[in-house]
Amino acid sequence: MTDPVADKGDPARARAALLEVIEKQIADNDPPETRHTLERLLKLGYTREGCLKFIASALIGELFGALKGQAKYDEKRYVANLKALPKLPWEKDEAEG
């Protein structure tokens, strides 16, 4: 019998994998905007953990669409989302809404 909870995935493992990708981007400086974003957010007073959560929010939007087959990974959009942080990708400008 299949465990329905196990089929939903493990959020802790998913979070760890996402943070591993981000740390690799920072270490490899690829894309360089990931490191720049980390440094910029740190200068704004956010903790490293907080910065990584912001960066994860920009990355997860791209990965989710690609994994669901709804859109291809778009590095330009990812970089634009990084540059907009700490504004989150799903937050609208006041002018928009």
Side-chain angles (χ1 to χ4, degrees), residues 30-78:
D30 182 26
E33 291 84 4
T34 305
R35 176 184 293 277
H36 297 163
T37 300
L38 173 64
E39 292 168 353
R40 180 174 54 81
L41 293 173
L42 286 168
K43 286 179 185 175
L44 289 174
Y46 292 99
T47 64
R48 181 176 175 83
E49 181 182 355
C51 295
L52 295 177
K53 287 180 181 181
F54 277 124
I55 294 168
S57 71
L59 181 57
I60 196 70
E62 286 305 312
L63 294 178
F64 187 75
L67 291 172
K68 292 293 184 179
Q70 297 169 348
K72 291 184 179 183
Y73 173 78
D74 184 340
E75 187 167 319
K76 287 182 182 180
R77 185 173 50 217
Y78 173 52

